[in-house]
Structures are given as C-alpha cells and as structure tokens.
Amino acid sequence: AEVNAYGPGDLDNMFRGIADGNWDQYSPVIHSAPSDYFKRKNKKSKVDDSDVKLGGPWIVTFENFLTELEAAQMIVLGYEQGFERSTDVGSMKLDG
C-alpha cells in the first residue's frame, strides 16, 4: 500500500514552522501566505515577513540556503557534467 508523504494540513504546518523560526539559519523571506497568516508568533525569529502578500499560496525563499562555497561547487560540478547556460528560453508568450 502506498503511504502519502504528507497528510492533510502537513504542508501548511511546515510553512508555519518556517514562519515561526524553525528554519532561521537559511534566512527565510515570506513573499505570500494564506489570508489567515497574521505575522509570525515567534518574535525572536529572523524571518522577513515585512512585505508578505496575504491571500495567496505560501511562497517562501531562503536567502542563505547555500553558502558561497557550496554554490560555487555546484557550478563547477555542473560544468564537469557538461551543463551550459541556457541561451534559448523559447518564443515570447502573449503575457511577456
């Protein structure tokens, strides 16, 4: 039998944990959150929710997810694997 990785409400709980400081080491920024999000409960958290747009889906970025060294190493490994910068993103769509 298949087991779901997430049950009802689990993903929302994960994002609320991020908002409450559980992932502060990565400097999260909350860009969008459900309308029932009224700022973080943990006032000591370093989460940036100063410009959150309410009423949308959770959108969070991590400003320090990788160190400079880790990011540089990923670029090196990509070159070693033959990855190249994309030069064609396809034709322009009607919405830009």
Side-chain angles (χ1 to χ4, degrees), residues 71-85:
Q73 183 62 21
M74 287 185 71
I75 292 169
V76 167
L77 292 172
Y79 279 119
E80 288 176 1
Q81 292 295 315
F83 296 150
E84 297 178 5
R85 178 180 285 276

Side-chain angles (χ1 to χ4, degrees), residues 45-85:
S45 171
K46 297 176 184 171
V47 171
D48 180 355
D49 61 359
S50 60
D51 195 32
V52 65
K53 305 293 186 250
L54 296 177
W58 283 106
I59 300 176
V60 176
T61 57
F62 296 101
E63 299 302 309
N64 294 313
F65 188 72
L66 297 174
T67 66
E68 292 289 329
L69 183 61
E70 290 168 330
Q73 183 62 21
M74 287 185 71
I75 292 169
V76 167
L77 292 172
Y79 279 119
E80 288 176 1
Q81 292 295 315
F83 296 150
E84 297 178 5
R85 178 180 285 276

Side-chain angles (χ1 to χ4, degrees), residues 84-90:
E84 297 178 5
R85 178 180 285 276
S86 176
T87 58
D88 181 13
V89 294

